[in-house]
Amino acid sequence: MASQVTPNTFLTHCAGPSSSSFETGATVTTIFFISGNPGLISYYHSFLSLLADQLKVSEGSKLGSSFQIYGCSLRGFELPEDEIQTSNDQNHKPNPKIYGLEDQIHFVHGKLHTLVTENSKTTLSQTRSADTTATVPPRQKVILIGHSVGAYIAMEILRRHRETSGSKSAEFDIIGGVMLFPTVMDIADSPSGRKLTTLLSFIPQLALIVGFFVRLLNFLLPNPALRSLIRFMMNSPPDHALDATFAFLKSPTGVQQALHMAADEMRTITTDKWTDDVWGAASTRPPITKLVFYFGRNDHWVAEKTRDEIIALRGQIEGKGPIMLVCEEGLPHAFCLKHNDVMARKVGGMIRDIVAGDEAR
């Protein structure tokens, strides 16, 4: 598939320092990114671009892998190609449907399968050009990256994938997962989770009310004034973050979608739902997925107690199970606003380790 960067999609390709070209028919490792809430992929364009740069130039790396990096906006957060013009068009009628967390899991899972299917067709075609007897494409390899609630979605996709791994529908292996500031358990116990839960107990229709208020704000404020307000409230963010937030507030249902989904997260993300298989414990049946969890300190969406319990119960023991890391550099939960370069370097190293371990098997 050709590279493309739009308000709703990010897709690029990069070859590692020792890899061959994409035209040889060799299998390409897909890095499939799942955003947090609000689910606009444009918040992550800078991070994903810098990650691609990290994988192109990896000092000391001898990996032969080529990579495809893909991400898309979550359901209900999609933007028109021209956000401002369309949102100001009185004839534009937004999609009234609002999606919950389970809807998002189905949506993202479907996107992954569609992408892998297209890759398989392309790879088979390239392989046949070199070997006319080829009838089956090489098995695809995928690494999931999930940020915040995207980590929960990634774990659910991994669970459902393993449940069908013996069927013909499983055309790929998930060889790794990188979970950034993951909200995978007891999100309602986090500082922000407690505040939101309390607010929802007093105002059950919070998403609808705030969505109406934002539409009113859009009606009253001209675009330059709204951008100035965003810049002030976000303490002068980088241009990409300002543009993404502006588009988010101008979208017909984006704010309502974000709050509706957040409320669903409070109800759904509770106790550990996954078996050793999903957590990547070395005692489980192959293929074993190598997982890396990167937690923050004083993360307002992950309680310190919850983080420590996850590390104690699921952390790596004697080289077995997922790697659990805790940030010692003070990076915030919303790293995609101002800390993309740091996270791209960190995640690039995690991906190289995952691929190196897979190639060594």
Side-chain angles (χ1 to χ4, degrees):
M1 296 176 67
S3 297
Q4 57 176 307
V5 178
T6 73
N8 300 314
T9 305
F10 182 97
L11 175 63
T12 192
H13 304 84
C14 55
S18 304
S19 64
S20 55
S21 76
F22 291 101
E23 303 303 323
T24 61
T27 301
V28 176
T29 299
T30 296
I31 299 171
F32 190 87
F33 181 82
I34 309 169
S35 74
N37 182 10
L40 280 76
I41 197 63
S42 52
Y43 275 118
Y44 301 92
H45 282 172
S46 178
F47 166 69
L48 296 174
S49 296
L50 291 167
L51 177 60
D53 292 340
Q54 286 292 317
L55 295 175
K56 288 176 187 175
V57 183
S58 304
E59 293 184 12
S61 173
K62 297 181 180 180
L63 297 180
S65 297
S66 295
F67 300 95
Q68 172 183 242
I69 302 176
Y70 176 86
C72 66
S73 294
L74 297 180
R75 197 81 185 266
F77 292 98
E78 299 95 340
L79 299 170
E81 291 301 315
D82 186 343
E83 304 93 341
I84 300 174
Q85 178 179 340
T86 307
S87 59
N88 286 338
D89 184 355
Q90 294 183 356
N91 294 322
H92 176 65
K93 295 182 179 179
N95 179 5
K97 184 170 175 58
I98 303 297
Y99 301 91
L101 185 53
E102 182 63 27
D103 296 322
Q104 302 293 1
I105 295 168
H106 280 288
F107 173 73
V108 174
H109 203 187
K111 284 284 187 180
L112 175 58
H113 274 273
T114 298
L115 182 66
V116 170
T117 299
E118 290 298 317
N119 289 345
S120 295
K121 292 178 181 178
T122 301
T123 303
L124 179 59
S125 176
Q126 293 173 349
T127 303
R128 282 176 174 169
S129 66
D131 180 5
T132 56
T133 64
T135 58
V136 179
R139 194 168 179 83
Q140 303 292 307
K141 295 182 179 182
V142 173
I143 297 174
L144 303 175
I145 301 179
H147 173 227
S148 191
V149 70
Y152 180 90
I153 295 173
M155 291 292 284
E156 272 296 293
I157 288 175
L158 180 56
R159 176 182 70 81
R160 297 170 195 205
H161 177 75
R162 291 191 69 84
E163 288 175 353
T164 60
S165 60
S167 68
K168 293 182 179 180
S169 62
E171 302 170 340
F172 59 95
D173 292 325
I174 300 177
I175 64 171
V178 177
M179 312 304 175
L180 305 176
F181 304 91
T183 57
V184 293
M185 284 173 53
D186 297 327
I187 189 173
D189 290 339
S190 67
S192 290
R194 288 196 299 270
K195 292 176 184 176
L196 180 58
T197 302
T198 300
L199 194 57
L200 287 168
S201 67
F202 288 104
I203 313 174
Q205 298 299 321
L206 180 66
L208 190 63
I209 293 171
V210 175
F212 172 78
F213 174 77
V214 171
R215 289 195 297 275
L216 181 62
L217 193 67
N218 278 318
F219 176 77
L220 296 175
L221 289 182
N223 290 332
L226 180 59
R227 290 183 70 91
S228 296
L229 179 61
I230 295 169
R231 185 179 289 109
F232 173 76
M233 296 298 294
M234 296 182 67
N235 193 22
S236 300
D239 288 343
H240 82 276
L242 175 62
D243 291 342
T245 304
F246 177 73
F248 171 56
L249 293 178
K250 296 294 290 185
S251 64
T253 58
V255 173
Q256 184 180 352
Q257 171 63 58
L259 287 172
H260 174 84
M261 183 174 163
D264 200 17
E265 292 169 34
M266 299 303 111
R267 295 185 294 266
T268 306
I269 303 177
T270 53
T271 56
D272 183 358
K273 295 178 172 65
W274 304 295
T275 62
D276 289 348
D277 247 19
V278 179
W279 282 100
S283 59
T284 60
R285 60 186 172 84
I288 297 170
T289 302
K290 183 174 182 180
L291 298 179
V292 182
F293 283 73
Y294 189 85
F295 292 96
R297 288 202 181 276
N298 302 312
D299 187 335
H300 60 101
W301 284 112
V302 181
E304 300 284 288
K305 179 183 177 182
T306 300
R307 180 200 66 208
D308 293 343
E309 286 178 351
I310 294 173
I311 293 174
L313 294 172
R314 292 297 188 176
Q316 193 173 68
I317 300 175
E318 297 180 353
K320 299 178 180 180
I323 296 172
M324 302 283 185
L325 304 172
V326 180
C327 178
E328 301 295 347
E329 300 169 41
L331 297 181
H333 186 90
F335 73 86
C336 57
L337 300 182
K338 296 182 179 180
H339 299 84
N340 291 294
D341 52 346
V342 178
M343 286 309 303
R345 288 195 297 271
K346 290 179 179 293
V347 174
M350 296 172 193
I351 289 173
R352 289 192 294 273
D353 289 343
I354 291 171
V355 174
D358 182 71
E359 291 181 351
R361 292 174 189 169

